[in-house]
Every structure is written in C-alpha cells, then in structure tokens.
Amino acid sequence: MEGSSTTGPSRRQRVRDATLRELIAVSREILTTQGAEALTIRAVAREMGMTPPGVYRYFDGHRALLDAVIVTILDELTGFIAARTDEVDEADTAGRLVAASRALRRWGVEHPREFHLSLVVSPPEEENQAVGHARRQVGRLFGEIFAGAWRDYGSVSPAPWPREPRIEPPAERLVEILGITMPSIAASAAFTRCWMRLYGMVCLESLGLPRVIGDEDGDLFEAELTDLARTLGLPEAALGAGR
C-alpha cells in the first residue's frame, strides 16, 4: 500500500527468533529433567544438533543462556498469576489476593526446579537488566493486588500487627524496588510480611519439605494464608473459592 513503511521481520530474522526460542526451550528441558548442573552450552548444542560455536552466536556464554531461561520462567510465572487473578471480579479485591497467593503456590509446586532457578539473585551490580525487570514484575503484580485488598479491608480493620519501626526501612525499600504505590507505611510493612511468609512457604513446598511430614495438599500453606487473610480483615468468603 502506497505511503506505508511498516514491514514485518525478514525471513532471516524469523528463523533467528525461532532458533532462539528453541534454544531457550531446550535449555529449560535440560534444567527440569537433568538439573541446573547439566545445563551447559555443550549440552544445549548437542540437543539442538548444533556446534557450541553456533550456540555462542546467540548467547555469549553460559550466564547469558541461564539469564534468558530465568526471564522466560519469571514471565511465565507472572502470566500465570495474572491469569488466575483475572478470573476473579476486579471489585473482589480480597478474592483476587487469595487467588494470586494460591496461583503462586500452584506454579511453584508444579515447577520446582524452575522456581528454584528463579530465586537465584545476583549482586545488584552483576544482575542482568532483563532478569531484574522480570524478577520485579512478579512482586509488583502481587503488591498491586495486595494494595487493592488493603484499601478495601486492611486500612479499615484494626492494625494487623503492632507497629515495628525496625521493619519499616526494608519494607519501604521493597516497595521502592518494585515500583509500587502503597497507601501508607503500615500497608508497606503488612505487604512485606505477607509476601515473605507466602513466598517462603512456596519455597519450602517446592523443596518437598512439607510432604516429608505428610502435608500432601498444601494444608500448611492454606493455614498461613487463612491466618494472613483474617489478620488483614478479609471476609471468610474470599477463602472459600478457587482452591
């Protein structure tokens, strides 16, 4: 069409993009079936039918390959939480928070090796920019959902916890890192405590530790979630659906 300068990617670029996606998919398969120690440039090249120098045309080293896999994993985790949360009406902020919490647990338990890899945090000066962005988007999504529930319930209920000035600086720092706007410092502190407790429980479950003592269905996680919901003043009905 005359006057239009918009063109799609060239065939060469499409082939390159497809190969890049396959490299990441193969790397993730090696990770989940053989473990992180098996994920090497040579192993990926072998599975792809390529030479190691061929893989280096896409990634300049093992760290770059690992970072690309981590970004894919974190994007998938964020998308899964968002999809499950969006099944709940926007006006039901309590239900959305519960849905997001259970989605975090479900994904972590179903993808334990990917979840563990997503926890690997490099020093700030060494962290890949794309990895940092992908990591923050998980916490940002949860934080925004939490802020909605706080405005409707937490801010009008008795203080969830007595004020503890010592945790306020790290809470403010977390909110700043995630780029979230919280209604108050009390909300920031409550969010930090909830996030740490729920995320910590998912870490333990993804390691299989609760199953060692007979918790096969996430009952310990549900107990923590119920305790936090009641502390925040969320209605009981929010806990009854979606498990």
Side-chain angles (χ1 to χ4, degrees), residues 61-97:
H62 177 265
R63 183 71 247 183
L65 174 63
L66 193 61
D67 285 343
V69 176
I70 292 173
V71 168
T72 299
I73 288 169
L74 290 168
D75 285 347
E76 181 181 305
L77 171 58
T78 302
F80 183 78
I81 295 173
R84 294 304 296 266
T85 303
D86 286 344
E87 293 173 0
V88 181
D89 190 279
E90 287 188 11
D92 184 6
T93 55
R96 287 172 68 82
L97 180 58

Side-chain angles (χ1 to χ4, degrees), residues 136-234:
R136 288 189 295 274
Q137 72 182 1
V138 181
R140 184 182 302 117
L141 173 62
F142 194 88
E144 290 170 348
I145 295 167
F146 178 92
W150 178 270
R151 282 190 292 268
D152 288 348
Y153 300 98
S155 62
V156 297
S157 66
W161 293 281
R163 182 180 176 186
E164 293 190 36
R166 62 182 175 173
I167 72 168
E168 291 178 1
E172 290 184 308
R173 177 61 179 153
L174 176 61
V175 168
E176 178 186 353
I177 290 172
L178 297 179
I180 307 167
T181 300
M182 284 290 173
S184 64
I185 183 59
S188 297
F191 161 66
T192 300
R193 296 183 71 169
C194 289
W195 179 238
M196 294 295 181
R197 284 174 65 177
L198 294 175
Y199 208 84
M201 282 298 303
V202 175
C203 290
L204 291 175
E205 271 206 89
S206 68
L207 289 169
L209 297 181
R211 289 196 296 277
V212 172
I213 57 175
D215 179 15
E216 298 287 346
D217 301 316
D219 292 329
L220 287 169
F221 177 88
E222 284 295 319
E224 285 295 303
L225 180 58
T226 298
D227 182 58
L228 289 171
R230 289 172 178 167
T231 301
L232 293 170
L234 306 188

Side-chain angles (χ1 to χ4, degrees), residues 26-36 38 113:
V26 166
S27 299
R28 182 170 175 175
E29 179 68 17
I30 292 172
L31 167 73
T32 56
T33 58
Q34 302 177 46
R113 280 182 165 165

Side-chain angles (χ1 to χ4, degrees), residues 8-15:
S10 66
R11 182 179 182 279
R12 182 178 181 181
Q13 185 61 49
R14 292 197 302 272
V15 170

